Amino acid sequence: MNNAEKVVVFGGAGFLGSHVADALTKKGYEVIIFDLVQSKYINEKQKMVIGDINDLDRIKQTVKGAQFVYHFAGLADINISKKKPVETVKNNILGTTYVLEACNEFKIKRIVFASTIYVYSDLGSFYRSSKQACEMLIENYSDEYKLDYTILRYGSLYGHRANNFNFIKNAITQALVEGEIKRKGNGEEIRDYIHVIDAAKASVEILNDKYINSHIMIKGTQTIKVKNLLMMINEILGNNIKIKYTKGDQYEGHYQLTPYSFRPRVAEKLLLKTYYDLGQGLLDSVYDIYQELHKENSDNLVKISLSPPKKK
């Protein structure tokens, strides 16, 4: 790899995007982060571009001279997407088309697109359909203009810098602030969790030529029922947390046991040699969120018999 290779990360100020940007920087790439807001996580080796995913001229200015483009921008919250179909189409589909136009014009080596396992499902509402549309657009650009790509479909991410609609972050925050965790459903839902650091490493590993024009599944090996995950969080917090389920009231648009009902192009699963242990990952997440809440206002923390968790 040439250390001077330039990579643009659209949505690089966000949860996954910022970790991928860091992983790219560690590998020696010249990283440019493109996002609506200034990244809180940017380091001195990275450059920042403030811009909108629907500003084609700004996108072109940023992509020019790049060898690779990562696209993490757009609406990622299923619940918000359900309520805002026009905004979802504008940001996810039209925004992706603008990125593809710039990539094609400046003949980048490859675009890497963050999709979702919901493309396999008939759930996920407008979020799912927008991701399916984006995948097809990417394949169209490849067919028509020989634009190489790698499409990544992620499982359930967790870890440091998680956004406000991240389930594990919300569960831990509820536990620390309210002394209880509320969950719709019965806890029997099954998820494949992968630590964001592992996901970021895999997202950089796919720059290997063998992943050109491929669909790759990145979801780790840690499959667990939601109720067992919440039990782990409770045990980490000294079994001082109440867990409440609202039976018969599932999260609309989310899958219960598996997303597999609709099958677009099947993705190969990428397995790393080492993985972040789920228990250690949860413990670190508890530590991070505890520290974050403590800085904001120590009075927010529920009075439970808990010493600040020690990070290992």
Side-chain angles (χ1 to χ4, degrees), residues 236-287:
I236 288 172
L237 296 175
N239 290 310
N240 293 301
I241 305 302
K242 294 180 181 178
I243 300 174
K244 296 183 178 180
Y245 296 100
T246 306
K247 294 184 178 180
D249 188 10
Q250 305 291 337
Y251 287 94
E252 293 183 13
H254 294 253
Y255 65 90
Q256 174 83 353
L257 300 178
T258 174
Y260 299 104
S261 54
F262 174 78
R263 287 184 175 270
R265 193 164 172 181
V266 176
E268 174 187 353
K269 188 172 182 180
L270 173 61
L271 296 176
L272 296 173
K273 293 181 180 178
T274 59
Y275 275 94
Y276 213 100
D277 176 71
L278 181 58
Q280 182 63 51
L282 289 174
L283 180 61
D284 287 352
S285 294
V286 169
Y287 175 85

Side-chain angles (χ1 to χ4, degrees), residues 90-282:
K90 180 180 178 182
N91 287 285
N92 291 8
I93 301 178
L94 186 57
T96 296
T97 308
Y98 286 146
V99 173
L100 287 166
E101 273 292 291
C103 290
N104 180 52
E105 180 174 335
F106 296 107
K107 305 304 176 186
I108 63 136
K109 289 183 178 180
R110 199 184 331 168
I111 179 172
V112 180
F113 176 68
S115 190
T116 173
I117 59 174
Y118 276 95
V119 296
Y120 291 112
S121 178
D122 57 2
L123 300 173
S125 190
F126 301 112
Y127 170 72
R128 177 259 302 169
S129 57
S130 72
K131 289 294 187 178
Q132 288 177 347
C134 288
E135 287 198 14
M136 287 187 286
L137 281 167
I138 291 168
E139 292 169 5
N140 291 155
Y141 268 81
S142 177
D143 292 338
E144 298 294 336
Y145 304 115
K146 308 304 179 185
L147 175 61
D148 287 337
Y149 66 87
T150 303
I151 292 173
L152 305 179
R153 297 174 185 155
Y154 294 93
S156 298
L157 300 169
Y158 75 100
H160 186 50
R161 306 176 187 172
N163 43 42
N164 291 329
F165 55 85
N166 182 269
F167 168 63
I168 288 181
K169 180 179 181 180
N170 281 332
I172 293 173
T173 301
Q174 282 184 48
L176 292 174
V177 175
E178 303 172 22
E180 68 177 21
I181 300 173
K182 298 175 183 177
R183 170 73 184 181
K184 292 181 180 180
N186 56 16
E188 294 293 328
E189 308 86 40
I190 294 175
R191 293 293 183 269
D192 292 296
Y193 288 99
I194 180 169
H195 197 281
V196 68
I197 291 176
D198 290 330
K201 289 178 181 177
S203 299
V204 175
E205 188 173 315
I206 55 85
L207 288 181
N208 187 298
D209 286 348
K210 69 181 181 179
Y211 297 113
I212 290 176
N213 298 335
S214 298
H215 298 65
I216 305 298
M217 182 81 76
I218 298 178
K219 64 173 190 172
T221 59
Q222 300 171 109
T223 302
I224 190 172
K225 289 184 178 181
V226 168
K227 68 177 183 181
N228 293 333
L229 178 78
L230 297 183
M231 286 173 62
M232 289 177 68
I233 294 174
N234 190 21
E235 289 179 2
I236 288 172
L237 296 175
N239 290 310
N240 293 301
I241 305 302
K242 294 180 181 178
I243 300 174
K244 296 183 178 180
Y245 296 100
T246 306
K247 294 184 178 180
D249 188 10
Q250 305 291 337
Y251 287 94
E252 293 183 13
H254 294 253
Y255 65 90
Q256 174 83 353
L257 300 178
T258 174
Y260 299 104
S261 54
F262 174 78
R263 287 184 175 270
R265 193 164 172 181
V266 176
E268 174 187 353
K269 188 172 182 180
L270 173 61
L271 296 176
L272 296 173
K273 293 181 180 178
T274 59
Y275 275 94
Y276 213 100
D277 176 71
L278 181 58
Q280 182 63 51
L282 289 174

